[in-house]
Amino acid sequence: MSRALRVGNCSGFYGDRFSAMREQLEGGALDVLTGDYLAELTMLILGKDTMKDPSLGYARTFVRQLEDCLGLALERGVKIVSNAGGLNPAGLAERVREVARGLGLDAAVAHVEGDDLRPLGLFDGALTANAYLGGFGIASALAAEADVVVTGRVTDASLVVGPAVAHHGWSPTSYDELAGAVVAGHVVECGAQATGGNFSGFRQLVRDGMDPARPLGFPVAEVAADGSSVITKHDGTGGAVTVDTVTSQLLYEIQTTRYLNPDVTVRLDTVRLTQEGPDRVAISGVEGEEPPERLKVCVNELGGFRNQVEFVLTGLDVEEKAAWVREQLTPSLTAAEVTWSRASAPPPDADTEEGASVLLRCSVMDPKPDPVGRAFTGPAVELALASYPGFTMTTPPQQPTPYGIYRPEYVDRSQVHHVVVHADGRREEIADPTDFSPVDPDAGRRTSPYPAPPDSLNRRMPLGSFVHARSGDKGGDANVGLWVANDGDPRREARATWLAKLMTPRRVRELVPEARELEVDVFVLPNLGGVNVVIHGLLGKGVAASTRFDPQAKGLGEWMRSRIVHIQEELT
């Protein structure tokens, strides 16, 4: 049996900590170092780059990181695997070769392509249209001794699946092993989110000795031959790896209990987490099934132009002030979409002016720039001496900015050609799977009310008294993972049962009133002591087009934790 493969991550998004690549290479032993640079919004950003210069379309910071670290990676025998190729993996591969030559290094550079479906003309008006590919193309490139593999839009987890397939020799039907690697890849794909970042239990980590002033270390996955893994980080780095930090990332943006990947369908309700030691969490028991028959496609199109102004309302009569400025500005607005935020009164007798102030935001969107340009900002500014008392704005007038609209699509695998271009120029097409899973879209869904105990003998407390949360976006949907803290409390199992009973779609709508007219799904994950909540359509047409205060729903989970619920006395 082959030894465990040590796979590190040095990037969770385009713009993550630049020094992380060197930190991971110097911090301890690795076999492979991965970097995830792509998200739905990133594909839109890269698409705009190609409109200015067709030779771009990749994450340029990755090139600068390699200029600093490629020699070190080759010296230490660490393979580099990244999806930084974005819309132009071939262009990035050539750029990496130029970097290697400039440094006097001999690096074998391969790339994976075939995800870009724009040439097929399947989606009218698409700025980008990229199918999510699996990990077998990466595996083939590594098996052919590539030192660096860059890809376009593979799934984030494929950056770990591919190296694990190459190292352990798994076949396309090694479903449990592949599923385990997908889970490991999903946990490390967002970098420091697995080591304490964006974690609602950060205060406990500090109480346990984490230095809050120290940069968080990036995660490492040790992937075994049977697909089980251990999530850890280099010794001496900041942050912490606990069952809760891993659960937090595991529940991030997953939607149902069936996690669909191009290579395998992962049964998330089989995942088991165990604290194996300090900063070491074991993932085991993961079961996989045949992959889905069709491939998901990330489609972005230009939606038009947007702009906004923010008015500062201070002191008394805030709601009346907001109503007045709305009445004054509205007749001048010609944009196709106008959205006003809600202004609530600040706390009484605030001891600072800022504390006595609230913001009123007016957002506008239109297919053309003119209605959201001077035609919008001019009338707003002209109210400066002719509106509510204390009138001021947070910024000077801004120019219109273009926005994009994201939508998921699905295509038959026959329309996608998953191709590896090896370091020697040889092209290899990766075969499609032959067996597929008839995935039940209702699997794990809460389809009938599961009422919480009656409110008698209960205490009114914040949901977050012992419940953690992690939230984010999936296109226009918001995803919130909620689970009971693994703090050693003997009441944890009873608390988890209470949480599963509490979180019905109806209760979610009560906690998030803006979801009252939206479809809500709740999926129970008993092994993790939690639930996953999907609020469909909360984010409108996706992050780039959303006028919501929190367009990516990053703070939604924390808001839900702050809401007051009835908790049984014996659980508090």
Side-chain angles (χ1 to χ4, degrees):
M1 181 178 292
S2 54
R3 65 171 178 82
L5 180 75
R6 282 180 59 88
V7 184
N9 168 281
C10 68
S11 175
F13 69 101
Y14 191 10
D16 210 341
R17 193 161 82 226
F18 183 84
S19 61
M21 181 178 286
R22 176 166 287 277
E23 292 168 15
Q24 285 286 69
L25 289 170
E26 292 181 339
L30 291 176
D31 298 302
V32 180
L33 182 58
T34 65
D36 176 15
Y37 294 79
L38 301 185
E40 294 154 359
L41 179 61
T42 314
M43 300 302 285
L44 176 65
I45 293 170
L46 296 177
K48 292 178 181 178
D49 282 351
T50 62
M51 294 174 68
K52 302 173 185 175
D53 184 348
S55 69
L56 297 178
Y58 53 79
R60 285 173 279 177
T61 53
F62 176 73
V63 177
R64 293 195 290 118
Q65 287 175 306
L66 286 187
E67 288 172 343
D68 177 54
C69 297
L70 181 57
L72 179 61
L74 293 174
E75 176 186 326
R76 300 201 170 193
V78 178
K79 307 291 188 180
I80 302 290
V81 179
S82 174
N83 61 12
L87 298 176
N88 189 7
L92 177 58
E94 183 54 38
R95 186 72 185 88
V96 173
R97 294 185 189 100
E98 292 175 4
V99 168
R101 288 193 294 268
L103 295 172
L105 302 173
D106 182 17
V109 182
H111 73 271
V112 176
E113 62 184 30
D115 58 298
D116 190 349
L117 303 185
R118 288 175 298 178
L120 300 182
L122 298 175
F123 310 104
D124 291 340
L127 176 63
T128 71
N130 296 78
Y132 288 83
L133 304 181
F136 278 86
I138 296 170
S140 180
L142 292 173
E145 303 298 328
D147 298 308
V148 179
V149 183
V150 294
T151 76
R153 183 67 278 193
V154 299
T155 67
D156 301 342
S158 293
L159 301 176
V160 171
V161 173
V165 169
H167 181 75
H168 294 302
W170 298 333
S171 75
T173 58
S174 301
Y175 297 129
D176 290 348
E177 292 88 344
L178 291 170
V182 166
V183 171
H186 177 60
V187 170
V188 303
E189 72 189 35
C190 289
Q193 283 197 161
T195 61
N198 199 10
F199 172 50
S200 57
F202 70 98
R203 293 190 305 160
Q204 184 61 50
L205 298 185
V206 173
R207 286 193 292 268
D208 291 341
M210 185 185 81
D211 181 357
R214 193 174 187 185
L216 301 184
F218 277 65
V220 175
E222 299 173 353
V223 185
D226 63 356
S228 64
S229 63
V230 172
I231 306 300
T232 185
K233 63 185 184 69
H234 288 323
D235 290 342
T237 57
V241 180
T242 70
V243 169
D244 279 330
T245 68
V246 172
T247 302
S248 184
Q249 176 58 26
L250 183 56
L251 291 179
Y252 184 57
E253 299 179 347
I254 57 172
Q255 300 209 320
T256 81
T257 58
R258 296 296 198 275
Y259 191 45
L260 307 183
N261 268 253
D263 299 319
V264 66
T265 298
V266 181
R267 287 194 53 195
L268 293 174
D269 54 359
T270 64
V271 177
R272 295 188 178 277
L273 304 179
T274 308
Q275 192 76 45
E276 190 178 78
D279 293 322
R280 293 182 64 82
V281 172
I283 302 176
S284 62
V286 186
E287 296 180 12
E289 300 169 344
E290 295 88 347
E293 189 168 4
R294 309 188 82 204
L295 292 178
K296 184 178 178 180
V297 182
C298 169
V299 178
N300 281 295
E301 58 189 15
L302 293 178
F305 297 83
R306 65 186 302 169
N307 207 342
Q308 70 175 37
V309 293
E310 282 187 330
F311 302 97
V312 181
L313 312 175
T314 304
L316 304 176
D317 308 320
V318 160
E319 293 180 358
E320 290 79 2
K321 291 172 181 174
W324 188 14
V325 74
R326 281 198 299 265
E327 290 175 3
Q328 289 180 301
L329 186 58
T330 296
S332 302
L333 302 180
T334 60
E337 296 183 38
V338 178
T339 304
W340 289 89
S341 65
R342 178 182 173 186
S344 300
D349 195 25
D351 59 2
T352 65
E353 181 180 344
E354 185 174 5
S357 302
V358 298
L359 299 181
L360 175 67
R361 184 186 316 105
C362 180
S363 303
V364 292
M365 305 173 73
D366 197 271
K368 297 181 179 180
D370 289 347
V372 300
R374 283 291 300 274
F376 165 59
T377 59
V381 172
E382 290 167 3
L383 294 174
L385 305 181
S387 188
Y388 64 88
F391 181 106
T392 188
M393 299 166 67
T394 56
T395 63
Q398 305 295 308
Q399 294 297 317
T401 57
Y403 71 89
I405 296 174
Y406 161 82
R407 71 178 189 271
E409 296 282 358
Y410 295 86
V411 297
D412 294 334
R413 288 177 182 259
S414 61
Q415 296 177 291
V416 180
H417 298 281
H418 184 173
V419 174
V420 185
V421 181
H422 291 281
D424 59 5
R426 178 171 53 92
R427 298 178 64 87
E428 176 190 0
E429 183 163 350
I430 303 301
D432 285 330
T434 56
D435 297 313
F436 304 103
S437 175
V439 175
D440 177 5
D442 292 322
R445 178 178 285 149
R446 169 80 47 73
T447 55
S448 61
Y450 190 4
D455 290 344
S456 60
L457 301 180
N458 287 0
R459 294 180 61 186
R460 286 175 50 80
M461 299 175 63
L463 175 64
S465 297
F466 52 75
V467 173
H468 288 313
R470 168 71 65 78
S471 59
D473 62 311
K474 274 294 182 183
D477 300 341
N479 182 97
V480 187
L482 299 164
W483 75 101
V484 174
N486 290 272
D487 55 5
D489 193 298
R491 297 168 294 183
R492 183 175 189 272
E493 185 175 346
R495 287 173 168 179
T497 300
W498 168 84
L499 178 65
K501 292 180 178 181
L502 178 74
M503 281 299 144
T504 64
R506 177 180 176 181
R507 183 57 63 93
V508 172
R509 295 186 184 99
E510 292 174 357
L511 296 175
V512 185
E514 60 187 298
R516 66 173 62 90
E517 303 296 331
L518 301 177
E519 179 184 356
V520 175
D521 289 324
V522 179
F523 301 92
V524 181
L525 295 163
N527 288 353
L528 301 177
V531 299
N532 192 61
V533 176
V534 182
I535 305 177
H536 297 274
L538 184 71
L539 308 179
K541 297 178 181 178
V543 54
S546 178
T547 58
R548 190 176 182 273
F549 165 71
D550 176 17
Q552 290 184 286
K554 297 295 187 183
L556 179 61
E558 288 302 292
W559 176 34
M560 291 181 68
R561 291 182 68 240
S562 74
R563 298 305 307 272
I564 302 298
V565 297
H566 288 88
I567 302 177
Q568 293 167 262
E569 191 79 38
E570 61 269 24
L571 300 181
T572 62

